[in-house]
């Protein structure tokens, strides 16, 4: 695999120059080692004309901002497309793999310093290689009474997850919103610090995001406008106490009432964390495997789901949320929430109150207590074989009718393709992240292709109903971006005007989020 | 006054073309009428070589996005600098006046529709001409149980205040953070909708800000990259109850303890609103005038302040905050806050609990209850004469030591120039907005010039200590921007690269926030 438009000799020369920057051992170009940079869950045909390949030609591991600037100099000269990743754990959306095959992955995992933690003002400043486990460990080792907010899988990069607008399960679950201050290397090699970071001896870089004048942090998210090398993130002071609640609901149709009950509690901040409403299958996948419940063809029938729900004593829908603060506040909030949800017939509620320093058992509960875990990966065993998944991730207005509509359409369409509805809703304030996973066995070509086709259909169904994706797999970035087509695609036109101004050589992540620099624009829509 | 580089004949032709778009009566060019677009509080010399003039050559009042697009077409052809304002109530920072003299003010006040209010999902979509009073009235008339969050002066535009990153006093006080979704007309005339607004039939424009890919809303704030014609803003559901607390503190040195006590209560969200810590003079200006307390030369001496504090029975520092929610929560939170502040010797606390539908007396309290008021303007009478003020507005880290440092330096410097320390701290989560007003009599040239000189010195003092402005007067936009000088001014370089890409003719608000388009860049630093 070569970078597009480069001869083998040119590529070899480019790699030699890159190696002179970071050292031979930090340039990876053997097929074997490059496997680490392939999409581990790649859906779609693996061969033939429709084959989905998002393959790197090489990977390079800089250790510093200066390394990155020198890499960019070489890239601009050779017109090398680069694909920066923090640590590349963007599983289900492409992992570390580049959108444009032949790109060189710039893997920032060696830049892994926790640069600062301020316990008083409750923030951290980290480099891209710092994982949630690393940051958690750092706080524990130094006896710092701050919580992190881990996403479902704790092995990912804090910077990477935040830039992709990932989310977690404590009151600091909106990672992009909790971000404050960045250092960014532009395609030109220029280094910008956003917000108050413009003041060199400043004291407020991680305290007040906007700074003076236009604010740019949000335009470096899900974007290809720069390489983020430092990022500030707010951390939650350890609460005096917290209470984790688990509610089980009986009927499929309860979803609407659950959402409509939850909304006012989120709006008035009785519940401040990212409450999660999970379907039965997703809940069951944490504690069992599919074969225990159903081995027939196609999606699990209602009868099998009903039997599973009964046997596991789980809900048809399951709501988890946490309350955090002084004991008396947490108790009063719990009473309010319990009263509210008692309106849904058949609801059962369990809740445990912990002291702030206690750590609960069980991955999902640990996540709600700011403890990173990897238990989310149990889902990969649900269907057996080489478990993989891709995710359909539309934004859903926070109403019961919208949630029911998205759920019903997705479930029916998934059944058509032989997939169980495996999903749930994560509660923002006015929106829900509806996350639907298509689990498949990568060893099974039929399932792998079906997941790919199904994902496209789900995205199209959603768009027809007025819903859009917040994030998507490499294979559908162009499709998702094209759906934002107000005024003949003015938003994408705007993005590409900025892209061309900042990166005239088109070296940074061509195709990311559907944004193509002028020199690679003809690749739009091709994989 | 002509636009720079235009002959009188060219200007007359341009005005004729503009009038053909919006009608004669919506083009203003007489000196008399243009007074409305001058800075009402302009500091600095009014004549001579150092004279501060930020004068419009004309003003134009479009009624629609199409009007704006046609105005831009004319502006690009004639190289006319435009200065868009929502309604121009940016008092203390320049009002409606343009940074570059001779610019044509584009006054959007005729575009004043409340386009949508969703009571369930708690937001509004408004045009730039909608004031806080208008929106409040709209909600009342329609019996909608949502609160607005007014800034100190309720007559301003919701869009304008939000774009300037103004703030209010309820839990929705961070206006920029509560903003969700924009429609923007670019200099090219292209119309962009941000975030989920890219989906033409979409349902989430005001529900989830980022959308898919890079997010741009924040870069249209305090900026000159586009004209915002629609803006979404979250509204707070009317709480069941709220309690407004007023705390008085005895000693000047209590400031550090007040701030350090307040910080953990803000961080753990016991207090969710923008609590305000006001100095004695600012508090006194709401209920008295300066001449009652002091008529000598220079700043009020400590003895006069002490006498005033005693007589008015106010605090040397005064803290106001609100608690919002269910009665039992509000009461529990009040007990916690009272306990916390009892650690500050001599503290006195008063608090009143209201039902959600009740409206308190008194402007500051009304603001905390989501009711717009104009009582903040009483400050103009503090010193007598033609009252005016300019504001020094640094960001302060949320620590007692930083607050004391900013306060002490400002107070001493203000005394040098004969000004009382008239200020306070508005509490974000990890930062404070330290707002210091220099009140002067515009009829008094000495005071008017002193305010101008003092403001520059305060900004410079702050920078030397590592603090930066969040917002500033026209006269000091270049100075404030230059203070963000990390990597030789990379942030401004970045802003201007984007500016040149989006507005190659330099027609939109040249000089705003220190950002100059290429064609006007030589004007930097000149007024």
């Amino acid at each position: 695999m070569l970078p597009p438009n480069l001869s083998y000799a040119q590529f070899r020369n480019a790699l030699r120059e890159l190696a002179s920057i970071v050292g031979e051992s930090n340039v990876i170009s053997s097929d074997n080692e490059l496997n680490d940079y392939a999409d581990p869950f790649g859906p779609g045909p693996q061969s033939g004309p429709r084959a989905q390949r998002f393959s790197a030609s090489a990977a390079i591991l800089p250790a510093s901002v200066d390394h990155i600037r020198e890499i960019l100099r070489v890239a601009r000269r050779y017109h090398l497309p680069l694909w920066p990743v923090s640590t590349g754990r963007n599983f289900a959306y492409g992992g570390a793999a580049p959108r444009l095959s032949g790109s060189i992955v710039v893997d920032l995992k060696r830049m892994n310093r926790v640069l600062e933690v301020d316990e008083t003002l409750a923030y951290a400043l980290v480099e891209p290689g710092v994982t949630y486990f690393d940051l958690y460990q750092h706080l524990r080792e130094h006896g710092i009474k701050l919580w992190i907010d881990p996403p479902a899988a704790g092995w990912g990069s804090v910077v990477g997850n935040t830039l992709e607008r990932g989310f977690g399960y404590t009151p600091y679950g909106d990672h992009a919103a909790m971000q404050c201050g960045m250092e960014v290397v532009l395609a030109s090699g220029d280094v910008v610090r956003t917000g108050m970071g413009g003041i060199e001896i400043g004291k407020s870089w991680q305290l007040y995001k906007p700074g003076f004048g236009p604010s740019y942090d949000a335009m470096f998210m899900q974007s290809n406008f720069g390489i983020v090398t430092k990022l500030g993130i707010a951390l939650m002071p350890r609460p005096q106490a917290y209470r984790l609640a688990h509610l089980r609901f009986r009927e499929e149709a309860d979803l609407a009432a659950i959402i409509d009950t939850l909304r006012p509690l989120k709006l008035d901040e009785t519940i401040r964390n990212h409450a999660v409403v999970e379907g039965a299958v997703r809940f069951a996948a944490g504690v069992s495997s599919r074969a225990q419940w159903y081995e027939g063809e196609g999606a699990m029938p209602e009868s099998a789901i009903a039997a599973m729900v009964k046997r596991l004593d789980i809900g048809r829908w399951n709501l988890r949320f946490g309350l955090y603060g002084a004991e008396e506040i947490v108790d009063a909030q719990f009473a309010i929430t319990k009263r509210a949800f008692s309106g849904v017939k058949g609801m059962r509620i369990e809740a445990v109150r912990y002291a702030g320093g206690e750590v609960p058992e069980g991955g999902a509960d640990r996540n709600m207590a700011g403890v990173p875990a990897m238990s989310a990966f149990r889902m990969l065993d649900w269907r057996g074989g080489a478990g993989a998944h891709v995710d359909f991730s539309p934004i859903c207005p926070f109403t019961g009718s919208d949630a029911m509509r998205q759920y019903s359409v997705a479930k029916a369409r998934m059944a058509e393709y032989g997939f169980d509805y495996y999903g749930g809703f994560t509660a923002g304030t006015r929106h829900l992240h509806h996350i639907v996973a298509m689990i498949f066995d990568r060893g099974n070509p039929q399932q792998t292709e079906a997941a790919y086709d199904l994902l496209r259909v789900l995205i199209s169904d959603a768009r027809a109903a007025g819903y859009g994706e917040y994030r998507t797999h490499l294979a559908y970035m162009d499709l998702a971006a094209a759906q934002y087509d107000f005024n003949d695609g003015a938003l994408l036109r705007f993005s590409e005007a900025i892209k061309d101004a900042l990166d005239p050589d088109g070296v940074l992540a061509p195709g990311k989020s559907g944004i193509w620099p002028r020199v690679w624009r003809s690749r739009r829509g091709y994989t």
Side-chain angles (χ1 to χ4, degrees), chain A:
Chain A
M1 173 62 65
L2 292 172
N5 303 344
L6 241 64
S7 71
Y8 178 69
Q10 287 170 315
F11 183 50
R12 211 177 39 190
N13 288 339
L15 287 186
R16 198 174 301 131
E17 290 195 43
L18 293 174
S20 76
I21 299 166
V22 296
E24 292 283 350
S25 62
N26 291 305
V27 176
I28 291 170
S29 59
S30 76
D31 282 358
N32 197 28
E33 287 175 297
L34 280 177
N35 269 338
D36 289 349
Y37 296 96
D39 180 359
F41 295 165
Q46 302 302 304
S47 59
R50 291 176 70 234
Q52 294 299 307
R53 288 192 203 91
F54 300 98
S55 307
S57 60
I60 182 166
L61 288 77
S64 70
V65 167
D66 282 342
H67 278 175
I68 291 172
R69 299 183 66 207
E70 292 193 49
I71 291 166
L72 283 163
R73 203 190 325 267
V74 173
R76 291 194 305 271
R77 192 143 36 79
Y78 284 89
H79 294 284
L80 287 177
L82 304 177
W83 185 261
V85 299
S86 294
T87 62
R89 301 306 196 196
N90 194 20
F91 281 32
Y93 298 106
R99 172 65 185 84
L100 176 63
S101 278
S103 296
I104 297 178
V105 174
V106 181
D107 182 348
L108 305 173
K109 71 180 173 194
R110 291 171 68 204
M111 297 171 66
N112 63 355
R113 290 176 298 171
V114 176
L115 295 164
E116 188 190 358
V117 175
D118 187 314
E119 188 167 2
T120 303
L121 290 162
Y123 68 80
L125 179 68
V126 296
E127 291 187 323
V130 175
T131 70
Y132 287 93
F133 282 120
D134 293 339
L135 184 55
Y136 180 75
Q137 197 56 35
H138 179 97
L139 300 178
R140 300 275 286 203
E141 273 169 17
H142 294 80
I144 297 169
K145 294 193 185 66
L146 298 172
W147 279 17
I148 66 166
D149 182 281
W155 71 345
S157 156
V158 175
V159 173
N161 186 277
T162 304
L163 293 180
E164 294 301 324
R165 301 203 185 94
F167 49 84
Y169 306 93
T170 78
Y172 282 37
D174 182 347
H175 294 171
M178 303 317 290
Q179 176 273 331
C180 189
M182 288 179 179
E183 179 183 86
V184 186
V185 185
L186 302 176
S188 64
D190 210 359
V191 180
V192 174
R193 289 189 178 169
T194 62
M196 306 301 292
I199 295 189
E200 197 141 12
I201 57 156
K203 302 165 179 302
S204 311
W205 192 16
Q206 273 62 62
L207 305 181
Y208 178 69
K209 181 144 71 175
F212 176 79
S215 168
Y216 299 112
D217 300 53
M219 77 174 245
F220 290 110
M221 295 186 178
Q222 294 189 353
S223 112
N224 53 11
F225 297 153
I227 300 179
V228 176
T229 48
K230 295 183 178 65
L231 182 138
I233 189 92
L235 301 176
M236 188 170 96
R238 192 168 95 181
Q240 185 197 349
Y242 61 99
R243 190 189 276 272
L244 304 185
H246 175 200
L247 284 69
R248 283 172 272 200
F249 299 90
R250 251 188 352 211
E251 306 295 335
E252 190 176 14
D254 287 343
L255 177 63
I258 298 166
I259 296 297
D260 286 331
T261 306
L262 184 59
R263 183 186 55 253
L265 296 167
K266 282 289 302 181
L267 278 170
D268 74 5
E269 302 190 46
T270 301
I271 297 176
R272 291 188 293 125
N273 84 323
H274 269 182
V276 178
V277 182
E278 292 186 300
V281 169
R282 184 165 120 181
F283 199 94
V287 294
S288 65
S289 66
R290 188 174 192 266
Q292 292 174 247
W293 314 112
Y294 183 64
E295 291 201 306
E297 289 292 302
M300 284 175 76
E302 276 302 310
S303 58
I305 292 176
M308 176 185 79
V309 162
K310 189 167 177 198
R311 181 67 184 278
L312 290 175
D313 193 26
I314 64 177
R316 192 66 179 75
W317 293 102
N318 302 273
L319 167 64
R320 294 185 209 257
F321 64 83
L323 304 165
Y324 306 80
E327 288 179 5
E328 62 269 34
I329 303 279
V330 164
D331 289 347
Q333 288 171 331
F334 180 65
I336 291 170
T337 53
K338 188 174 169 180
R339 205 155 56 228
F341 283 107
S342 298
V344 187
K345 203 171 152 226
M347 182 278 294
R348 288 178 294 155
I349 188 166
E350 278 170 19
V352 178
R353 197 179 76 187
Y354 300 88
E358 283 182 87
V359 171
E361 297 297 319
D365 282 351
R366 290 169 86 87
N367 279 343
M368 285 201 289
V371 183
M374 287 300 291
S375 51
F377 270 37
R378 279 194 207 135
M379 69 186 284
L380 298 178
D381 299 326
W382 177 244
R383 242 178 132 165
H389 69 105
V390 284
D391 289 1
F392 165 58
S393 314
I395 294 297
C396 182
F398 206 138
T399 75
S401 60
D402 283 292
M404 270 308 280
R405 189 170 176 205
Q406 287 201 1
Y407 163 67
S408 305
V409 171
K411 181 190 166 200
R413 194 61 96 174
M414 293 176 85
E416 258 181 55
Y417 284 76
F419 285 75
D420 308 325
Y421 172 81
Y422 180 104
F425 296 83
T426 302
T429 305
R430 287 168 174 78
H431 76 278
L432 306 159
H433 278 94
H434 185 195
I435 305 295
V436 181
M438 279 135 273
I439 301 177
F440 59 98
D441 170 6
R442 273 205 96 194
N444 179 329
Q446 186 270 332
Q447 282 184 18
T448 306
E449 292 194 30
Y452 174 72
D453 293 335
L454 171 57
L455 180 52
R456 187 183 55 243
V457 173
L458 288 172
I459 295 173
S460 304
D461 285 346
R463 177 60 180 83
Y467 305 120
E469 303 300 288
Y470 99 96
R471 185 178 183 184
T472 197
H473 187 274
L474 295 171
Y476 293 120
M477 283 181 175
D478 288 329
L479 175 64
Q483 293 189 331
Y484 288 74
D485 63 355
F486 170 78
N487 187 19
D488 199 22
L491 190 58
L492 190 54
R493 206 154 55 232
F494 181 73
S495 290
E496 293 188 344
I498 290 176
K499 180 65 178 168
D500 288 338
L502 297 178
D503 183 10
D505 301 304
V507 296
L508 278 184
K512 173 76 181 176
S513 297
I515 300 167
W516 292 91
R518 189 178 289 120
V519 294
W520 297 113
R521 206 157 286 158
S522 62
R523 300 290 177 122
R524 195 196 315 280
Y526 293 90
T527 58

